[in-house]
Amino acid sequence: MSMLKRMRWGVLLSILAACASGDRTLNEADPGIVAQRPAYAQVEPIFQADCVPCHSGTDERAEYDRLFDEARAGRRLATMVAIANDDPGLESCQSIVNNLEDVVEEIFDKNSMPPGAWPRLTSKERLTIERWIDRGASCD
Amino acid sequence: MRLDSLLVVASLILVAVPGQGTPMYAARSARTCDNCHVGPNKWENPPVAERKCNMSCQSCHIDPAGGGVRNASGRFFGQSTLPMIATSPRPTDDWDQNAPLVGRRDRATSYDDNLPVGPNTFTAALEDFDALAAAMDDRWTWGTPRGEPNRYGLLQGRYERLNADPMLRVGADVRFAALGSLYFPMQIDVPVVLHPTHHLTVLVNTGARGRPSGFSDTYDQDHSFYFREAFAMVHEAPYQAYAKVGRFVPSFGLKLDDHTSHIRRAFELDGALPESRVMGVEVGAMPNYPFLNASWFRMAARNRVPASWDISDVDDGWGSAINAGWRDLSWSVGGSAMFRRRDIDEGGDTSTYSLYGVLNPWRNRRNLPVTYQAEYDFGTFQRSSGARTNQAAFYQELNWVAYNSIILLLAHDWADPDDEITDDDDHRVQLGLQVSPIAGVTVDGRLRVLLPALGQAGKDIFIQLHLYH
């Protein structure tokens, strides 16, 4: 009986934890946390850390072969898989801009990237990318 | 053609991993004494100050705060209790849990004179020291420390032929992972433990962290290899008290080896990252059964990777942590607090608190082989703008030991990284199977489902292979 009582604490804590939540976006709560006009230099680390490990493919055949051979020589399996699957590359600013529609859909509409059960982008990362796109997604 | 190449390479890099929350092992180990050591016929309980059996991390690990290279007791547990095929005497309660036809059949608790018998007392161990030392057959340890054996260290003869008190111990720990189409090395550790004289130990663990982008990224980039732990420790004292100085991860909450859990990652306690390492002093004591670990440390700026080999590269702020509670034979409760103080541009201030516990009804009900652990963390932090806000995270895990080495796992974790912000929380549920066919090998497979507050749910299958000694 006492054991059951103890186990109830775990369930109770779960419920309490699940109840917590704010009611404002980061843009509303702390608008100064991200520059109003982020440069690509502020966006790049986010893509490098969260996207490029898989999205390092390319649409150009010659570049495709070169990248694949490089990846194979370095035994970078994730990159090889990404290239083989012909995923859009997000390694450069221009490649991100070329795939901007997909980026917006995956990050903002679906919130489905990084994929699977990996943690999604943080509110600050999303706000940084959002403002960069809203200001024209400049590569300067 | 390309995919063929991929398959060939992938097949050469069989992947893997473990991922067992090690506090679960500790909770389960108290079922019977012979899980952790050879049981004598007439054991005489020593005074509390001399007891080593305290259900704390130090019972199995050289680092009293837990994790990493194991001592003789932890190694014995890994051989006798964890695997499907035992290479040490099997605990009496697990006599019917052996794999058929293979593995040792002798019991750790001796019921006749033909079975291994450890010394009954420290005095008996001293009297038989030479004979016990001569009987050792341990390829991963060398020598014995200078000076007379002391009553606060592990006793020779209690762990079959393992060297309970070596002067030099070298370990190895390798983890591989497969995640969908990704195959990558997660972690490599080579711990070296020098125990030149009683009461003094130096532990240096050189490791590398893996990266999902592949082998070259893992081992070619800066900071891939680094001192994961490097400290000198004074120990083997009454009540298992100790003090250590050097690089470590502060003792806080449950010592999970799932470094992706919110309760570790969100609070700069991700055991896989060099960023989580601090340099400082930690003191503690673990009589049976209260425990206390307290530390004061210097650290690097948040998200700054400190130098790999210069453990003094931690001048961006200071912190302190305390972790205390009670670990009994079938349950434990604990609480932790941690404070970090840094300038805003170095990560800002954080104050974090934790409540946690473990329950092992299996000890009292043999037909109920389940273990449960949970931790709730909450506290304040500063956003990069300087604004102060709250965060919280929760983790719970239920294990069912269907058979020795076959463990079904259900885990749930949740986090609200900023309680003022809407839709930034998520839940993650894991359903897993862990199998340890032989000592030092664990395969862990999990179906993981992420349920973010905003957008689509995601799922993946994560398989790990853990090889260790």
Side-chain angles (χ1 to χ4, degrees):
Chain A
M1 191 61 181
S2 59
M3 190 179 301
L4 287 175
K5 283 181 181 174
R6 288 179 196 135
M7 295 180 93
R8 283 180 196 155
W9 277 105
V11 176
L12 181 61
L13 284 171
S14 308
I15 295 169
L16 288 175
C19 291
S21 184
D23 56 4
R24 295 194 291 173
T25 65
L26 185 61
N27 192 32
E28 294 166 342
D30 197 350
I33 195 170
V34 171
Q36 287 298 321
R37 292 180 169 276
Y40 175 67
Q42 291 167 277
V43 173
E44 184 182 18
I46 303 171
F47 280 93
Q48 288 295 328
D50 294 311
C51 309
V52 170
C54 289
H55 294 285
S56 53
T58 177
D59 296 332
E60 297 175 23
R61 188 70 214 177
E63 186 66 358
Y64 175 102
D65 289 341
R66 188 185 68 77
L67 287 174
F68 191 90
D69 290 342
E70 272 186 13
R72 182 164 53 187
R75 301 172 71 190
R76 292 157 51 198
L77 291 184
T79 303
M80 293 164 70
V81 171
I83 296 171
N85 291 338
D86 210 15
D87 276 343
L90 298 173
E91 284 190 292
S92 68
C93 181
Q94 193 55 54
S95 62
I96 295 170
V97 172
N98 290 345
N99 295 287
L100 208 51
E101 199 171 308
D102 289 340
V103 169
V104 169
E105 180 182 359
E106 297 292 348
I107 294 179
F108 296 102
D109 297 344
K110 295 180 180 175
N111 191 28
S112 58
M113 286 288 156
W118 286 101
R120 302 297 189 251
L121 298 183
T122 65
S123 299
K124 185 181 175 185
E125 289 170 334
R126 288 163 58 86
L127 182 60
T128 305
I129 297 172
E130 182 182 350
R131 286 187 179 172
W132 176 68
I133 293 173
D134 287 347
R135 271 63 175 183
S138 169
C139 292
D140 295 333
Chain B
M1 188 66 174
R2 296 298 194 191
L3 288 176
D4 288 346
S5 302
L6 283 178
L7 290 173
V8 170
V9 177
S11 65
L12 293 174
I13 308 169
L14 192 55
V15 173
V17 175
Q20 171 79 353
T22 42
M24 299 294 247
Y25 287 170
R28 284 201 285 267
S29 70
R31 282 185 299 127
T32 57
C33 304
D34 47 1
N35 272 295
C36 296
H37 51 73
V38 171
N41 286 325
K42 297 176 182 176
W43 175 250
E44 297 171 17
N45 258 343
V48 173
E50 295 179 22
R51 295 181 190 175
K52 274 82 71 176
C53 183
N54 50 29
M55 302 303 113
S56 280
C57 315
Q58 163 270 348
S59 291
C60 285
H61 295 274
I62 290 172
D63 183 349
V69 62
R70 284 152 289 268
N71 59 23
S73 175
R75 293 171 66 200
F76 187 87
F77 180 71
Q79 294 177 358
S80 68
T81 303
L82 286 184
M84 193 177 289
I85 300 170
T87 53
S88 281
R90 179 73 90 187
T92 302
D93 262 23
D94 296 337
W95 177 244
D96 56 352
Q97 298 282 304
N98 271 346
L101 303 179
V102 294
R104 289 179 61 155
R105 287 292 191 274
D106 47 340
R107 307 181 197 199
T109 298
S110 51
Y111 288 106
D112 63 61
D113 294 339
N114 296 321
L115 293 169
V117 178
N120 291 352
T121 62
F122 174 69
T123 305
L126 274 187
E127 289 170 353
D128 295 338
F129 185 82
D130 290 339
L132 293 168
M136 286 188 304
D137 180 17
D138 192 341
R139 297 173 185 171
W140 291 79
T141 64
W142 293 267
T144 53
R146 284 189 307 158
E148 290 295 310
N150 77 88
R151 59 184 67 244
Y152 306 112
L154 300 182
L155 301 184
Q156 298 289 9
R158 300 299 308 280
Y159 311 97
E160 221 222 354
R161 293 176 185 275
L162 297 178
N163 186 349
D165 195 19
M167 182 179 67
L168 180 64
R169 158 106 165 94
V170 177
D173 195 305
V174 182
R175 300 179 185 218
F176 299 95
L179 178 66
S181 59
L182 300 177
Y183 301 83
F184 59 99
M186 283 182 62
Q187 179 181 322
I188 290 178
D189 284 302
V190 182
V192 176
V193 184
L194 184 63
H195 187 31
T197 182
H198 290 293
H199 307 292
L200 174 66
T201 289
V202 176
L203 187 154
V204 176
N205 179 19
T206 304
R209 57 171 169 163
R211 291 183 173 85
S213 46
F215 275 72
S216 62
D217 277 1
T218 294
Y219 302 121
D220 293 347
Q221 292 189 7
D222 290 343
H223 309 299
S224 283
F225 283 95
Y226 65 101
F227 284 147
R228 295 170 67 85
E229 284 87 25
F231 58 77
M233 177 169 66
V234 178
H235 63 131
E236 296 177 335
Y239 304 105
Q240 295 299 302
Y242 72 95
K244 68 185 187 188
V245 180
R247 174 179 279 189
F248 53 82
V249 177
S251 176
F252 183 93
L254 297 169
K255 191 83 176 182
L256 289 188
D257 67 350
D258 179 357
H259 70 96
T260 66
S261 67
H262 289 304
I263 59 169
R264 298 285 74 92
R265 176 168 284 186
F267 302 100
E268 300 178 69
L269 296 166
D270 183 338
L273 298 179
E275 294 93 309
S276 300
R277 265 66 192 175
V278 301
M279 180 187 171
V281 180
E282 181 179 286
V283 298
M286 292 151 288
N288 65 342
Y289 295 105
F291 68 92
L292 169 71
N293 312 92
S295 59
W296 185 92
F297 50 85
R298 302 279 296 176
M299 61 196 160
R302 186 166 194 147
N303 299 324
R304 180 176 80 80
V305 181
S308 296
W309 312 115
D310 178 6
I311 65 173
S312 66
D313 180 29
V314 285
D315 56 353
D316 299 316
W318 64 270
S320 60
I322 187 166
N323 187 19
W326 187 281
R327 295 187 178 112
D328 215 299
L329 295 176
S330 60
W331 57 272
S332 70
V333 294
S336 304
M338 180 170 60
F339 307 98
R340 295 177 188 264
R341 295 294 177 263
R342 288 176 293 213
D343 293 339
I344 287 295
D345 58 357
E346 292 170 346
D349 295 346
T350 66
S351 300
T352 311
Y353 309 92
S354 168
L355 294 170
Y356 60 92
V358 184
L359 193 59
N360 179 41
W362 191 10
R363 180 173 183 273
N364 302 314
R365 297 191 181 191
R366 200 164 189 273
N367 58 353
L368 192 61
V370 299
T371 317
Y372 174 81
Q373 65 180 0
E375 177 176 330
Y376 181 62
D377 297 348
F378 57 98
T380 63
F381 73 101
Q382 285 181 288
R383 298 192 195 113
S384 55
S385 64
R388 194 175 295 275
T389 187
N390 303 311
Q391 62 179 334
F394 177 71
Y395 179 86
Q396 59 181 335
E397 178 182 332
L398 181 68
N399 285 187
W400 179 46
V401 185
Y403 202 81
N404 256 32
S405 93
I406 299 177
I407 299 169
L408 297 173
L409 171 153
L410 181 62
H412 161 235
D413 62 340
W414 164 90
D416 185 0
D418 188 329
D419 76 343
E420 196 178 357
I421 306 304
T422 185
D423 292 338
D424 63 345
D425 53 316
D426 65 49
H427 293 263
R428 190 177 63 166
V429 179
Q430 302 179 67
L431 182 62
L433 172 66
Q434 297 169 340
V435 178
S436 299
I438 57 174
V441 178
T442 300
V443 179
D444 182 312
R446 298 186 185 193
L447 169 65
R448 310 189 306 176
V449 179
L450 182 77
L451 303 165
L454 186 70
Q456 291 183 346
K459 65 176 184 298
D460 56 35
I461 293 176
F462 190 47
I463 301 172
Q464 303 177 64
L465 170 63
H466 189 194
L467 310 172
Y468 58 95
H469 200 292

